Amino acid sequence: MERRTFIKKSAVTASLMGVSLSGLQALEQSGKHIAKQTFKLKYAPHLGMFKNLAGNDPVDQLNFMADQGFTAFEDNQMKSRPVATQEKMAETMLKRNLTMGVFVAHKIYWKEPNLASGDMAKRKAFLSDIRSSVDVAKRVNARWITVVPGHVDLRQNMNYQTQHVIESLKQASAILEPHDLTMVLEPLNFRNHPGLFLSESPQAYQICKAVNSPACKILFDIYHQQIQEGNLIPNIEQCWDEIAYFQIGDNPGRNEPTTGEINYKNVFKFIHDKGYTGILGMEHGNSIEGKEGELKVIEAYKISDDF
């Protein structure tokens, strides 16, 4: 987009967000300077969320996130990145006081049974992935890794499937505990991911209680659970002692807070008042493309964090 067009289109966005046009012009020229915010919670952007403002280089994006006041970062694809890139990103996070959030720890079976099946070969492959994730976690100073148990096994009673999952997670916990690492189980909603074994927070809560390990906790994705079960704050309260991580996305659309039906200001206030000091991953898209949309994401978090 040409500079003149960007400035013209940005005027409306600027007026809505309380950002002056001259400020947008300065931002457009430098791509980096926005007044730094002090957030009450550790919201964690991901690579690509601010690529138009910060550029494509991962290190530049991390620096941009820190410049805006974000104090955490998550990267589902971290495990697949070259070791040199992991090390460079880890070095930058340490310099900028960004806490590393989750990355996906293993191959996820979206269309066929995995942990729920009780298949010993699949369990062995899963545990191998967990072991290799330990090395990555140490390299990037991560404390949490995401685990999704995979598809249901339609040929087995749900109780048998649950026991298969619990046994796999107990063995994985034994691998992670000596390294003070935590796998976080993510229930996913039926609309985006039909047929998965783990879909609800009470189900995840029951499994974590059965595994009974500090290495096995819940990733409460607010977007997924709004679709799957609603009743967000009461369910967060019920699961509280097993929740180790949150992720964010408004519904409908799975974009930044303020774009959908979830009252994120109230949800964030509740989480903050509970004394939560962990990470809230910004696992969502931007509702508007380009620099304007990236500014809108930052402003949405300023608004939702104002409680």
Side-chain angles (χ1 to χ4, degrees), residues 94-140:
L94 281 175
K95 287 180 179 177
R96 299 307 309 271
N97 293 316
L98 289 168
T99 303
M100 178 64 199
V102 292
F103 63 87
V104 176
H106 65 107
K107 176 183 177 181
I108 299 175
Y109 285 71
W110 299 107
K111 300 295 183 181
E112 63 180 283
N114 180 24
L115 300 187
S117 70
D119 183 290
M120 291 299 106
K122 289 181 177 178
R123 179 182 291 172
K124 183 177 180 181
F126 167 71
L127 295 174
S128 177
D129 283 346
I130 294 297
R131 289 188 187 93
S132 63
S133 293
V134 171
D135 294 332
V136 178
K138 289 182 176 181
R139 190 177 299 124
V140 300

Side-chain angles (χ1 to χ4, degrees), residues 280-306:
L280 298 95
M282 296 159 59
E283 197 186 36
H284 57 73
N286 299 358
S287 61
I288 300 175
E289 294 183 358
K291 293 182 179 180
E292 294 174 70
E294 293 171 10
L295 283 171
K296 187 172 182 292
V297 169
I298 296 168
E299 186 65 18
Y301 278 89
K302 290 180 179 179
I303 292 169
S304 300
D305 191 71
D306 185 18

Side-chain angles (χ1 to χ4, degrees), residues 163 165-175 183 210-212:
Q163 189 55 43
V165 170
I166 290 169
E167 182 56 34
S168 292
L169 297 177
K170 282 184 175 181
Q171 293 185 31
S173 295
I175 295 170
M183 58 182 164
V211 175
N212 191 28

Side-chain angles (χ1 to χ4, degrees), residues 39-107:
F39 292 109
K40 298 181 180 72
L41 292 166
K42 291 182 179 179
Y43 308 113
H46 54 80
L47 292 184
M49 182 164 272
F50 303 120
K51 65 182 179 181
N52 291 286
L53 292 172
N56 289 320
D57 183 79
V59 168
D60 289 343
Q61 292 186 47
L62 289 170
N63 281 318
F64 179 85
M65 294 169 194
D67 287 342
Q68 311 326 310
F70 293 106
T71 54
F73 165 74
E74 70 174 20
D75 184 11
N76 284 341
Q77 287 77 44
M78 180 63 85
K79 190 173 181 180
S80 64
R81 301 192 189 282
V83 170
T85 301
Q86 294 175 9
E87 292 174 343
K88 196 172 184 180
M89 291 173 70
E91 180 183 358
T92 304
M93 285 186 279
L94 281 175
K95 287 180 179 177
R96 299 307 309 271
N97 293 316
L98 289 168
T99 303
M100 178 64 199
V102 292
F103 63 87
V104 176
H106 65 107
K107 176 183 177 181

Side-chain angles (χ1 to χ4, degrees), residues 25 140-141 153 208 229:
Q25 289 171 329
V140 300
N141 301 304
D153 188 340
C208 287
E229 60 195 19

Side-chain angles (χ1 to χ4, degrees), residues 255-297:
N255 290 314
E256 70 271 13
T258 74
T259 59
E261 65 187 357
I262 301 175
N263 187 335
Y264 264 106
K265 183 180 289 190
N266 278 358
V267 175
F268 289 160
K269 182 179 187 300
F270 175 80
I271 292 170
H272 179 268
D273 288 349
K274 291 286 288 183
Y276 183 72
T277 59
I279 291 176
L280 298 95
M282 296 159 59
E283 197 186 36
H284 57 73
N286 299 358
S287 61
I288 300 175
E289 294 183 358
K291 293 182 179 180
E292 294 174 70
E294 293 171 10
L295 283 171
K296 187 172 182 292
V297 169

